[in-house]
Amino acid sequence: MELFKIFENWAIEFNRIHYLFAVLCLVYAIVKILKLIVKRNELTRVLKPFAGPPKHWLFGHILEFKQDGTDLFKFVEWSNSYPFAFPFWFGPFVAYLNISHPDDVKKVLASTEPKDDFAYAFLIPWIGEGLLVSKGQKWFRHRRLLTPGFHYDILKPYVKLMSAGATTMLDKWELLSKSDESFELFEHVSLMTLETIMKCAFSSNTNCQSTKGESNSYIKAVFDLSNLVNLRLRTFPYHSEWIFQLSPHGYRHRKACKVAHSHTNKIIRERKEALKDEKELHRIQAKRNLDFLDILLCARDEDQQGLSDEDLRAEVDTFMFEGHDTTASGISWTFYSLACNPEHQQICRDEVISALEGKDSMEWEDLSKIPYTTMCIKESLRLYPPVPGIARVASKPVTFFDGRSVPAGCLIGMSIFAIHRNSTYWENANVFDPHRFLPENSAKRSPHAFLPFSAGPRNCIGQNFAMNEMKIVVAQTLRRYHLIEDPTKKPEMIPRLVLRSLNGIHLKIKPVDL
């Protein structure tokens, strides 16, 4: 009887605690909702001077996007209907001011304003606080420590490695060139750019184009993570960390992060083991060419402090993603652009054959001998920017060229896709015309109307690496194959951190008769 009384008292006490916990959760939820409502009202007031498309009271503008290949053109339409700037709402509580005038873009990008603390925060569990998302002194210090990794002397030996990666892919295409069927090329190009970044930046021979395994798992993980980050951005309940983590998508996200981190941890672990007796770059360079990871591991600031293990992995994760996925997008869409414009493709091919003078592969000196091909790559980057949008958070009030302003803390978005197709800055904006990038034509245009690598102090640190790889791969491909459009399989563009196609990018290829 006494034992029963004890259990009864425990049950009563447990119920009291449970009840108290439920009341506290309810109070917390009410306070949180009230704060969000106050934030929404403040955002509405701040953005009132800026006209924009009608929004749903709960979903904002998200329902306008159908995920059917037309979404990016919605931003082009809105940029034309609401010149210079318009608000865009992700659900009921998050809004960006989307700007499009080059003078305004220049003002925002010319400073070291941090990346926005909303969407980019969703990347941190994957790539950490590396150069892409870090801010303030941490960003400044890392940028300074990493810049030597992209010096001319470091990039020059990469050309042979890039050329070899392209050759491996093109050799695999021999069988495809004998078929009348089109094939999906983005996956092929992704494997090639991953193999190349592994060789160039980490001196790692994965042979992932020839063998299936860990590298293919990494590419799949990057694909899943890109989709999940985009899904989280579009699904406003997932803006809550705990709701997302408790969801099936949160489980998939953690699983994909584990695969990606395992890949980069292995790279770092193996290199640390190899360099345990070497701490100085000049001693390493005496044995072989330096790579990005050498510079990361040996980087020291003025206090002789290097990167922590956490910072090191963040930079490796960032560069692994940025160095292969964005470049794969740029190359794939350039192939598509040239397939759709065979007259320009032939001019490029003639130029490449002349520049190579009978050689099979590109060398460092050849990169400057293909100006028309370079213009075609830039025109493809204009029409199909690998990163279709970027964002910043204002650290201080910003006044735009037309006199309107926003306070500190405002999220500012820039649709690079829409800016690149804005008829105010580009005549016949949807037409492929590489002559736009003749020096005399570029001189007449604001440099902030063309932003494939962003601009200002936070521009893409690896843009020379990326452009070199695109030139090499495009040139060697055109020397060996004709790229032919498949009109029955038009790609449907979707933004997934990088520009992808919902149904892939399909082309036919035929050998070039030399």
Side-chain angles (χ1 to χ4, degrees), residues 438-510:
L438 286 167
E440 58 269 28
N441 292 334
S442 294
K444 301 172 188 174
R445 185 174 57 244
S446 167
H448 288 81
F450 181 61
L451 300 163
F453 301 105
S454 187
R458 294 198 67 135
N459 67 348
C460 174
I461 195 172
Q463 60 182 290
N464 289 330
F465 178 98
M467 277 302 295
N468 288 350
E469 185 171 6
M470 283 190 279
K471 289 181 186 180
I472 290 164
V473 176
V474 170
Q476 291 188 195
T477 301
L478 294 183
R479 184 192 174 280
R480 288 184 61 172
Y481 299 112
H482 293 282
L483 305 174
I484 304 164
E485 179 189 11
D486 183 348
T488 67
K489 295 179 180 178
K490 293 278 189 182
E492 299 171 356
M493 285 181 283
I494 49 169
R496 290 291 185 271
L497 301 185
V498 304
L499 187 65
R500 295 183 181 273
S501 170
L502 198 62
N503 57 337
I505 303 176
H506 293 80
L507 296 181
K508 299 176 185 179
I509 57 172
K510 292 298 175 187

Side-chain angles (χ1 to χ4, degrees), residues 35-54:
K35 284 184 177 179
L36 288 171
I37 291 172
V38 170
K39 179 183 177 182
R40 175 190 171 92
N41 292 340
E42 177 62 17
L43 272 173
T44 301
R45 184 189 64 78
V46 165
L47 297 174
K48 189 175 181 180
F50 300 91

